[in-house]
Amino acid sequence: MPTTVFDQFTRRTADVTAQLAALGIPLTAPPPTPADPDPADPWANIYTAPVDRSSLAWCTAVTMLADHHHTGIDRQVLAADALLRELGIRGLAQLHSDLHAGAPVDYRFTRCPYCVGIGEDPTQPTCREAGCATWLEFAGHDHPCPVCHGHDHQHQWYAEEQMTELEELLADATEERERRASLRHRIRARLYNRTTRS
């Protein structure tokens, strides 16, 4: 039976939802307790969207957290809820950076945890769902991954490219150093000649 790249996303979601069902954890996060309305700001929004624990983004977040902390997903459910409630799918990029000690993640060298390096949105949204302009609906354009923004994960090619660039920079720096050394030698020789004549 032929499988596509996108089958791994359904498998990831199915595995996590099966574990949640086995643990008796509901697939929709209960809404947080409403905060007391602030009399100073009556227009403050106290509504929070429900979190779907069967979505690919939530399953990715809970898997990342469980793998990083070496725990079961049951211990990371509330953290994944809070992440998606606060930051949405783009919060996965922030989580990935935080798990790498706050360093920015270069998705050309590191595989994206959400799209696994394909660069497209794995949920394959329509233009209407993605909120594209109406004139783009007929252009047949791709929807880049909201986490890695469509970066190509080709670490071997980019590593060779970066090594070539570094070798060029090193050659330029060596040439500049030799030129400066020659200039210093000429200046030193002239100053020596002046001091010996006087």
Side-chain angles (χ1 to χ4, degrees), residues 84-101:
L84 289 184
R85 190 173 281 130
E86 293 294 320
L87 300 173
I89 293 175
R90 287 185 171 82
L92 292 174
Q94 181 64 46
L95 173 64
H96 201 197
S97 172
D98 290 347
L99 296 181
H100 281 85

Side-chain angles (χ1 to χ4, degrees), residues 3 5 23-24 26 34 62-63 67-68 80 93-94 102 131 135 137 139 142 150 153 155 160 193-194:
T3 59
V5 174
L23 294 167
V62 79
T63 305
D67 289 347
H68 179 74
Q94 181 64 46
W135 61 272
E137 291 182 20
D142 293 330
H153 177 252
H155 52 283
E160 287 178 17
N193 288 339
R194 281 187 188 169

Side-chain angles (χ1 to χ4, degrees), residues 14-187:
D15 290 345
V16 171
T17 52
Q19 289 181 41
L20 290 176
L23 294 167
I25 300 172
L27 293 181
T28 304
T33 55
D36 294 332
D38 184 7
D41 188 8
W43 298 104
N45 188 2
I46 57 170
Y47 172 75
T48 55
V51 175
D52 180 13
R53 291 178 177 158
S54 63
S55 70
L56 180 63
W58 190 89
C59 293
T60 304
V62 79
T63 305
M64 287 171 65
L65 287 163
D67 289 347
H68 179 74
H69 293 292
H70 306 291
T71 62
I73 64 167
D74 57 328
R75 305 273 313 266
Q76 303 301 328
V77 167
L78 297 178
D81 288 348
L83 174 77
L84 289 184
R85 190 173 281 130
E86 293 294 320
L87 300 173
I89 293 175
R90 287 185 171 82
L92 292 174
Q94 181 64 46
L95 173 64
H96 201 197
S97 172
D98 290 347
L99 296 181
H100 281 85
V105 179
D106 189 347
Y107 288 107
R108 295 175 304 176
F109 297 100
T110 305
R111 195 176 298 276
C112 174
Y114 186 57
C115 73
V116 195
I118 62 172
E120 292 181 41
D121 192 335
T123 59
Q124 297 179 316
T126 63
C127 287
R128 181 170 290 169
E129 292 169 345
C132 299
T134 54
W135 61 272
L136 287 172
E137 291 182 20
F138 304 104
H141 68 284
D142 293 330
H143 296 113
C145 172
V147 176
C148 69
H149 303 292
H151 281 280
D152 237 356
H153 177 252
Q154 294 183 7
H155 52 283
Q156 288 97 357
W157 184 82
Y158 282 117
E160 287 178 17
E161 191 76 14
Q162 197 170 32
M163 288 302 293
T164 304
E165 188 177 327
L166 287 174
E167 286 172 1
E168 290 172 3
L169 288 172
L170 182 61
D172 291 347
T174 304
E175 184 180 311
E176 179 70 21
R177 182 176 178 202
E178 289 172 359
R179 191 175 59 76
R180 286 186 181 181
S182 170
L183 180 65
R184 273 188 296 220
H185 177 70
R186 285 185 286 167
I187 292 172

